[in-house]
Amino acid sequence: MAGVSAQAGPDPARQVLAAGDGWASSGSGTTGGAAAPAGNVHEVRTRAELVAALAAPGPRIVKVRGVIDANTGADGKPLRCTDYATDGYTQAGYLAAYDPAVWGWEREPEGPLEDARVASAKRQEAAIAVNVGSDTTIIGVGRGAGITGGSLRIHGVRNVIVRNLTFRDTHDCFPRWDPNDNSPGAPPGNWNSLYDSVSLQRSEHVWVDHNTFTDEPNLDSTQPLYFGRPYQVHDGQLDITSGSDLVTVSRNVFADHGKTMLIGSSNTSTTDPGKLRVSVHHNVFRNVQERAPRVRFGQVHVYNNLYEGAEPVYSWGVGVRSQLFAQNNFIRGIAPEKIVYNWGGTALTDTGNLVDGRPVSLVDAFNAANPDKVLGTDAGWTPTLNRGLEPAHRIRHLKAGAQPAGHHLVVGRGFATVQAAVDAAPAGGVITLPKGVYREVVKIPASKRGLTLRGATGRAQDVVIDYDNASGTKKPDGTTYGTTGSATATIAADGFTARNLTFRNSFDRARHPEITATQAVAVKATGDRMLFDRVHFEGHQDTLYADTPDVGTRSRQLYRDCAITGDVDFLFGRATAVFDRATITALNRGGDPNGYVTAASTRRDNPHGFLIVNSRIRSDAPANTYFLGRPWHPGGDPDAVAQVVVRDTELPAAIKQAPWTDMSGFPWREARFAEYRNTGLGAGTGADRPQLTDEQARQHTKSAYLGGWNPA
């Protein structure tokens, strides 16, 4: 069957690798589970179903529909890092024990906390490692199919096809510190993770085709530095090691990653020589830092690939006994000397490659920049299994990867959680949430521009995203979440829209008297042009964090016909935010003061902070016990000068006659607080209630704050 065209046949799950298509087509070819009887074709939607299908007798076809979260327990509920930690492991304890200032730089970690880390890692491995047997095709069906957090292991088998899947965020909860692992030109030491998204060991005849590999939404670039080194939680995206052989890697996307593809186990391997024949063609490598690929052994043909995005540490690593033949690749926006690195090899054949459309000898560029690591120009072989080889200029707009999710996704139809749907959705996508309570933490990264979340029923109270972290809630590492980390939903995407749903932080002070830092955010929103339409925000302290991505950026946000509930500073942040026709409920805490409606931290050079207009503030708190706001200066920043206008709004009797107050030593009179034409029992005028003039009021309107953005 090796000669059957990859385009033949009505069912992609029964397609086989075409003749001449790379090393995996040699000899008997690669057919995967194409010969599986009808009774051995499995469609799976959960981790448990995936594991069961892969354990069935071969040949087998496993069709993945939707997104499978590998970090899932036997009961089907999501597992977090804290669920794997055992034997007293905490990240804080590990960092304290093996800090080089205490432990030194000579010894690798050992002792009870290292043993606890290993035991915790084994618990995670038992959940996320999925073993693939011989004569198997595993394929995504439908748009957006994939595996999040999983490690697909093709170990000690033959004849496997993996196609049309998106592999996301195979993160290690328990990275290991190695003070003696040094990268070229970097400070000493590295954090090393354990799990590859797809791992090939001791296997042959494997075809990996049309998949997408990404770390989103948990990029290593967002991780902290510990001991001066990045806390790297991802290992390889596709590693081919331990004497694996006859592999074709075609038309995949490898994106936003560090250590991308390793070919060969170690410089001293006794199983790799004579094997590791691999073809890597028509793949897109975007924003990857290194190993694209790094080759220690083997005749490896790298042709017709597209390299673009952030400049890497290096792309092609030439190892001790590698025979790397790089042909007709297109490289965009990367310095030629950054493509190659010599890891103890002798030669690289480099032919027909283009950098920004110009022919360049990448070996010559490397040698000129690294005269102490000079490479030869002949890898000692010429590839013949090069089906589809084309001139490099035709690769500049290469399309590859798994079929992305459609524009419209529905939670519960292939996506078990809101986060799974967010991960799969394209920028500009629409996610519908059926009626129910979704108990999870949701993160929407900046890359999901234009995304829409909407409740299916048209009633916000029917569709609730809820979690209960507070600032003082303990994380697995022994530290606390802090205000930002407590958010039930963190939304960074510009152009984001939410309609007809509720975001809730259900942290209960009474049930957790041991927690004194009770800030508990329902939503932290930092994007520009964000529309919340008929959305409810429920919490107590710090319910809605309307902010910007950084102090130098302005973000416009419109909260239209929304309901917001809380008590202390429950509308706060740096954003330019308009609350139009909002219902704002100030809860009764039974004291005086009962609370503060706003705590803006508007930048000094921004004339527009919070505008509450045509709204109603309501409260059953006693009269004269609530402040409209106070000026928040994060970290004592003198350039955070709150700006809040409350106008044309009904105020309850609970609002104090002097409704503004100082905060952390910063006087409210130095902030920019004002009212205009408010009504209700809590309205009033006087020396402690600055009022806008009619002329000033014309500068404090919805259109003025939104600055030309007017969502329909």
Side-chain angles (χ1 to χ4, degrees), residues 396-419:
R396 69 175 66 218
H397 301 302
L398 179 67
K399 303 297 183 183
Q403 188 178 30
H407 184 77
H408 190 179
L409 295 75
V410 179
V411 178
R413 299 181 188 173
F415 309 98
T417 63
V418 178
Q419 188 64 57

Short mmCIF file of all heavy atoms in Angstrom, two decimals, residues 396-419:
data_model
loop_
_atom_site.label_atom_id
_atom_site.label_comp_id
_atom_site.label_asym_id
_atom_site.label_seq_id
_atom_site.Cartn_x
_atom_site.Cartn_y
_atom_site.Cartn_z
N ARG A 396 7.12 30.63 0.43
CA ARG A 396 7.01 31.85 1.24
C ARG A 396 5.63 32.02 1.87
O ARG A 396 5.50 32.66 2.92
CB ARG A 396 7.38 33.07 0.41
CG ARG A 396 6.38 33.43 -0.68
CD ARG A 396 6.76 34.72 -1.37
NE ARG A 396 8.01 34.59 -2.11
CZ ARG A 396 8.91 35.54 -2.19
NH1 ARG A 396 8.73 36.70 -1.56
NH2 ARG A 396 10.00 35.37 -2.90
N HIS A 397 4.58 31.47 1.26
CA HIS A 397 3.23 31.59 1.81
C HIS A 397 2.66 30.21 2.15
O HIS A 397 1.46 29.97 2.03
CB HIS A 397 2.32 32.32 0.83
CG HIS A 397 2.79 33.70 0.49
ND1 HIS A 397 2.98 34.68 1.45
CD2 HIS A 397 3.13 34.26 -0.71
CE1 HIS A 397 3.40 35.79 0.86
NE2 HIS A 397 3.50 35.56 -0.43
N LEU A 398 3.51 29.32 2.61
CA LEU A 398 3.10 27.95 2.89
C LEU A 398 1.98 27.90 3.93
O LEU A 398 2.03 28.55 4.96
CB LEU A 398 4.32 27.17 3.41
CG LEU A 398 4.08 25.70 3.79
CD1 LEU A 398 3.74 24.88 2.56
CD2 LEU A 398 5.32 25.14 4.48
N LYS A 399 0.96 27.10 3.66
CA LYS A 399 -0.12 26.81 4.60
C LYS A 399 0.05 25.39 5.09
O LYS A 399 0.27 24.47 4.31
CB LYS A 399 -1.49 26.98 3.94
CG LYS A 399 -1.73 28.35 3.33
CD LYS A 399 -1.72 29.45 4.38
CE LYS A 399 -2.04 30.81 3.75
NZ LYS A 399 -1.95 31.91 4.74
N ALA A 400 -0.08 25.20 6.39
CA ALA A 400 0.13 23.87 6.97
C ALA A 400 -0.66 23.78 8.26
O ALA A 400 -1.36 24.71 8.67
CB ALA A 400 1.62 23.63 7.21
N GLY A 401 -0.54 22.64 8.92
CA GLY A 401 -1.16 22.47 10.22
C GLY A 401 -2.51 21.82 10.19
O GLY A 401 -3.09 21.53 9.12
N ALA A 402 -3.06 21.57 11.38
CA ALA A 402 -4.37 20.95 11.52
C ALA A 402 -5.46 21.94 11.10
O ALA A 402 -5.27 23.15 11.13
CB ALA A 402 -4.59 20.52 12.96
N GLN A 403 -6.60 21.38 10.74
CA GLN A 403 -7.73 22.22 10.37
C GLN A 403 -8.20 22.99 11.62
O GLN A 403 -8.57 22.38 12.62
CB GLN A 403 -8.87 21.36 9.83
CG GLN A 403 -10.01 22.15 9.23
CD GLN A 403 -11.09 21.25 8.65
OE1 GLN A 403 -11.30 20.14 9.13
NE2 GLN A 403 -11.79 21.71 7.63
N PRO A 404 -8.15 24.31 11.58
CA PRO A 404 -8.53 25.05 12.78
C PRO A 404 -10.02 24.94 13.05
O PRO A 404 -10.81 24.56 12.18
CB PRO A 404 -8.13 26.49 12.43
CG PRO A 404 -8.20 26.55 10.94
CD PRO A 404 -7.77 25.19 10.46
N ALA A 405 -10.37 25.28 14.28
CA ALA A 405 -11.78 25.26 14.64
C ALA A 405 -12.56 26.23 13.76
O ALA A 405 -12.03 27.23 13.28
CB ALA A 405 -11.94 25.64 16.11
N GLY A 406 -13.81 25.94 13.56
CA GLY A 406 -14.66 26.83 12.79
C GLY A 406 -14.89 28.13 13.51
O GLY A 406 -14.52 28.32 14.67
N HIS A 407 -15.56 29.02 12.85
CA HIS A 407 -15.82 30.35 13.42
C HIS A 407 -16.76 30.26 14.61
O HIS A 407 -16.67 31.06 15.53
CB HIS A 407 -16.43 31.24 12.34
CG HIS A 407 -16.65 32.65 12.77
ND1 HIS A 407 -15.63 33.57 12.87
CD2 HIS A 407 -17.79 33.31 13.15
CE1 HIS A 407 -16.12 34.73 13.29
NE2 HIS A 407 -17.41 34.60 13.47
N HIS A 408 -17.65 29.28 14.60
CA HIS A 408 -18.66 29.18 15.66
C HIS A 408 -18.50 27.86 16.41
O HIS A 408 -18.64 26.79 15.83
CB HIS A 408 -20.06 29.29 15.07
CG HIS A 408 -21.13 29.44 16.11
ND1 HIS A 408 -22.46 29.58 15.79
CD2 HIS A 408 -21.06 29.47 17.47
CE1 HIS A 408 -23.17 29.69 16.91
NE2 HIS A 408 -22.34 29.62 17.93
N LEU A 409 -18.22 27.93 17.70
CA LEU A 409 -18.05 26.75 18.55
C LEU A 409 -19.10 26.76 19.64
O LEU A 409 -19.52 27.83 20.10
CB LEU A 409 -16.66 26.73 19.18
CG LEU A 409 -15.43 26.59 18.28
CD1 LEU A 409 -15.12 27.87 17.53
CD2 LEU A 409 -14.22 26.20 19.10
N VAL A 410 -19.51 25.58 20.07
CA VAL A 410 -20.48 25.44 21.14
C VAL A 410 -19.87 24.59 22.25
O VAL A 410 -19.43 23.46 21.99
CB VAL A 410 -21.80 24.80 20.64
CG1 VAL A 410 -22.79 24.66 21.80
CG2 VAL A 410 -22.40 25.63 19.51
N VAL A 411 -19.81 25.12 23.46
CA VAL A 411 -19.29 24.36 24.59
C VAL A 411 -20.23 23.18 24.84
O VAL A 411 -21.45 23.32 24.85
CB VAL A 411 -19.19 25.24 25.85
CG1 VAL A 411 -18.68 24.42 27.04
CG2 VAL A 411 -18.27 26.42 25.58
N GLY A 412 -19.62 21.99 25.02
CA GLY A 412 -20.41 20.77 25.18
C GLY A 412 -20.54 19.98 23.90
O GLY A 412 -20.95 18.82 23.93
N ARG A 413 -20.18 20.58 22.78
CA ARG A 413 -20.19 19.87 21.49
C ARG A 413 -18.75 19.78 21.00
O ARG A 413 -18.30 20.57 20.17
CB ARG A 413 -21.07 20.58 20.47
CG ARG A 413 -22.53 20.68 20.88
CD ARG A 413 -23.36 21.36 19.81
NE ARG A 413 -24.71 21.63 20.27
CZ ARG A 413 -25.61 22.34 19.58
NH1 ARG A 413 -25.28 22.85 18.40
NH2 ARG A 413 -26.82 22.54 20.08
N GLY A 414 -18.02 18.84 21.56
CA GLY A 414 -16.62 18.67 21.21
C GLY A 414 -15.68 19.43 22.11
O GLY A 414 -14.47 19.22 22.05
N PHE A 415 -16.21 20.30 22.92
CA PHE A 415 -15.38 21.11 23.82
C PHE A 415 -15.97 20.99 25.21
O PHE A 415 -17.02 21.58 25.52
CB PHE A 415 -15.33 22.56 23.35
CG PHE A 415 -14.96 22.69 21.90
CD1 PHE A 415 -15.93 22.86 20.93
CD2 PHE A 415 -13.64 22.57 21.50
CE1 PHE A 415 -15.60 22.95 19.59
CE2 PHE A 415 -13.30 22.64 20.16
CZ PHE A 415 -14.28 22.83 19.20
N ALA A 416 -15.30 20.22 26.08
CA ALA A 416 -15.87 19.90 27.38
C ALA A 416 -15.90 21.10 28.31
O ALA A 416 -16.70 21.13 29.26
CB ALA A 416 -15.07 18.76 28.03
N THR A 417 -15.04 22.08 28.10
CA THR A 417 -14.96 23.25 28.97
C THR A 417 -14.95 24.52 28.13
O THR A 417 -14.69 24.49 26.91
CB THR A 417 -13.69 23.21 29.83
OG1 THR A 417 -12.54 23.27 28.96
CG2 THR A 417 -13.62 21.93 30.67
N VAL A 418 -15.20 25.64 28.79
CA VAL A 418 -15.09 26.93 28.11
C VAL A 418 -13.66 27.14 27.64
O VAL A 418 -13.42 27.60 26.52
CB VAL A 418 -15.53 28.06 29.05
CG1 VAL A 418 -15.37 29.42 28.36
CG2 VAL A 418 -16.98 27.87 29.49
N GLN A 419 -12.68 26.79 28.50
CA GLN A 419 -11.29 27.00 28.12
C GLN A 419 -10.90 26.18 26.90
O GLN A 419 -10.15 26.65 26.04
CB GLN A 419 -10.35 26.67 29.28
CG GLN A 419 -8.90 27.06 29.03
CD GLN A 419 -8.72 28.56 28.90
OE1 GLN A 419 -9.08 29.31 29.79
NE2 GLN A 419 -8.17 29.00 27.77
#
